[in-house]
Amino acid sequence: MRITDLDITDVKMIVPKKFGDARGYFCETYSKQDFAEAGIEEVFVQDNQSFSASHGTVRGLHFQVPPFAQSKLVRVLRGSILDVAVDLRHGSPSYGDYVSAVISAREGNQILVPIGFAHGFCTLEPDTEVFYKVSAPYSPAHDRGVSWIDKDIAIDWPVKPADAVLSAKDLALPPLAGLPDRFMPPQ
Ligand SMILES: Cc1cn([C@H]2C[C@H](O)[C@@H](COP(=O)(O)OP(=O)(O)O[C@H]3O[C@H](C)C(=O)[C@H](O)[C@H]3O)O2)c(=O)[nH]c1=O
């Protein structure tokens, strides 16, 4: 398992080792021991999976506030996405900055999005399936979001707003400015 930092250090790219043979391949997609050896102590309590039929589907930017704030380990079972994490940790020097990376079923790579970040993605292919582990259960009362096209974050998405597929909820998400809920200060 290869673990590297993205431009915001706490967001990590994880590439499990693939064991290929004439049948195909095998890989351990999650290992508590490997994570602990890399200093990642996340305890995941729920697995999520979403299917998006159209390329250019955007889900996000979402997060849950404490005490149900979630870290997420995101991977793609089919297709590919541009995955995005936005730093919302109150007091963080990179507050409001984002990192993004393409993760795909072909590469088998994963993104670890820590607590304190909003998360979203845009599908790059039709029929894309995303699987992710989260470190806290779903709590609608603690679910929050920020507009995917917030001007202060200014994410370089691979789809124009007019062509993107979003839920009504995500279309109505507020801007970052004046976000009422703040996370705990960075560790
Ligand atoms: C997240 C979640 C949702 N739901 C129910 C609530 C709705 O009835 C339905 C669809 O939920 P939503 O539209 O919030 O799903 P996404 O837009 O894919 O949201 C996710 O997309 C972005 C990328 C994320 O990072 C979050 O984990 C998550 O918010 O599933 C549940 O029952 N449990 C859950 O954990």
Side-chain angles (χ1 to χ4, degrees):
M1 188 165 283
R2 193 172 71 249
I3 300 174
T4 53
D5 293 327
L6 293 185
D7 289 346
I8 298 178
T9 306
D10 303 309
V11 184
K12 306 216 181 265
M13 172 72 77
I14 294 153
V15 184
K17 182 172 172 52
K18 269 188 181 176
F19 297 92
D21 62 26
R23 300 166 298 173
Y25 74 82
F26 173 90
C27 71
E28 293 181 3
T29 52
Y30 169 68
S31 162
K32 186 176 179 185
Q33 180 177 326
D34 287 357
F35 271 42
E37 286 169 8
I40 301 172
E41 301 295 341
E42 310 299 310
V43 176
F44 297 110
V45 298
Q46 180 176 305
D47 285 347
N48 295 338
Q49 183 166 328
S50 65
F51 170 82
S52 302
S54 305
H55 77 285
T57 298
V58 173
R59 295 175 183 256
L61 302 162
H62 303 156
F63 61 99
Q64 292 190 168
V65 293
F68 289 90
Q70 297 170 318
S71 60
K72 299 168 184 170
L73 180 62
V74 188
R75 65 190 176 94
V76 176
L77 303 179
R78 179 178 175 187
S80 55
I81 63 174
L82 179 76
D83 206 57
V84 176
V86 182
D87 189 352
L88 298 182
R89 296 170 300 181
H90 187 43
S92 167
S94 51
Y95 180 83
D97 293 348
Y98 78 94
V99 288
S100 62
V102 174
I103 51 176
S104 70
R106 279 180 299 280
E107 289 298 310
N109 53 347
Q110 308 175 13
I111 299 278
L112 180 68
V113 180
I115 280 175
F117 285 73
H119 176 244
F121 62 79
C122 176
T123 60
L124 303 175
E125 300 177 44
D127 299 335
T128 287
E129 292 199 78
V130 178
F131 174 95
Y132 50 107
K133 306 176 90 64
V134 294
S135 63
Y138 177 54
S139 173
H142 295 83
D143 196 24
R144 301 287 188 277
V146 176
S147 170
W148 72 295
I149 48 175
D150 181 86
K151 298 209 177 337
D152 294 324
I153 305 172
I155 296 168
D156 182 16
W157 294 106
V159 65
K160 296 188 182 71
D163 301 328
V165 176
L166 287 96
S167 65
K169 179 186 89 171
D170 287 354
L171 284 168
L173 288 174
L176 177 63
L179 190 69
D181 292 297
R182 296 284 190 167
F183 284 91
M184 288 86 79
Q187 310 308 321

